[in-house]
Amino acid sequence: MDASLSTLSCCEKLSLSTNCIEKIANLNGLKHLRILSLGRNNIKSLTGLEAVGDTLEELWISYNLIEKLKGINVLKKLKVLYLSNNYVKDWGEFGKLGDLPCLEDLLMVGNPLEEKHTAEGDWRDQASKRLPKLRKLDGVPVIRNEEGGEED
């Protein structure tokens, strides 16, 4: 990601999908960025998001090479995270999403963790239990019963 991005100080939505990007960088000047689309790249890590941590509301990062979610915690206003078709495979990494106080819409289809637990029949229940503020999971509204779990 080129340093000239920093000249886009008024930019609210930036789409850099399908560009063979390998790492997130040079977001410092994007003081108003609310939506960042980085789908279909070669990104392996979420580090580099610190500069937009106070403004970013949506991160579209499906179809990348992400296995670890280290660095996601800086996105304090993130509401929407599209992380489908990556390599997240354990609940420990998934648990880092709990550090996002505003997250309400999550797309995880096509990650090993989701595929394994969908096959076992407990994906939605397990995921929504770990992220109680979620309103939408994999494109489907999360409907909770009185006990705090998810209804079928």
Side-chain angles (χ1 to χ4, degrees):
M1 294 173 68
D2 193 270
S4 62
L5 284 175
S6 63
T7 62
L8 304 172
S9 60
C10 294
C11 180
E12 290 189 16
K13 180 180 178 183
L14 180 62
S15 180
L16 295 171
S17 297
T18 321
N19 273 300
C20 298
I21 294 168
E22 293 187 7
K23 65 192 261 190
I24 301 168
N26 296 310
L27 298 176
N28 295 35
L30 299 166
K31 302 291 183 214
H32 299 281
L33 194 66
R34 289 181 24 255
I35 301 171
L36 178 58
S37 177
L38 292 169
R40 298 186 186 277
N41 280 295
N42 299 316
I43 297 169
K44 293 180 180 166
S45 162
L46 293 174
T47 54
L49 292 167
E50 299 80 9
V52 294
D54 292 334
T55 60
L56 204 67
E57 295 175 14
E58 299 187 18
L59 178 60
W60 307 347
I61 198 155
S62 295
Y63 294 94
N64 274 284
L65 309 170
I66 297 164
E67 184 177 333
K68 307 275 186 217
L69 299 179
K70 182 177 184 248
I72 194 87
N73 60 310
V74 301
L75 301 176
K76 296 302 177 194
K77 290 192 174 168
L78 197 71
K79 293 178 183 171
V80 176
L81 178 60
Y82 293 161
L83 190 67
S84 69
N85 299 284
N86 275 284
Y87 295 103
V88 178
K89 59 182 176 229
D90 63 61
W91 288 117
E93 289 305 314
F94 185 89
K96 293 175 183 170
L97 299 176
D99 293 337
L100 303 173
C102 301
L103 186 65
E104 55 186 39
D105 184 354
L106 175 65
L107 192 63
M108 285 288 292
V109 172
N111 280 276
L113 180 67
E114 176 273 333
E115 290 173 339
K116 175 184 186 286
H117 285 277
T118 293
E120 292 174 5
D122 67 348
W123 165 246
R124 289 184 62 80
D125 191 44
Q126 290 287 331
S128 59
K129 203 178 289 176
R130 285 173 167 83
L131 300 174
K133 292 183 182 140
L134 268 191
R135 296 170 72 181
K136 197 190 246 184
L137 177 61
D138 299 330
V140 179
V142 174
I143 301 163
R144 300 182 187 283
N145 60 25
E146 289 75 41
E147 290 89 49
E150 185 187 4
E151 288 184 358
D152 290 329

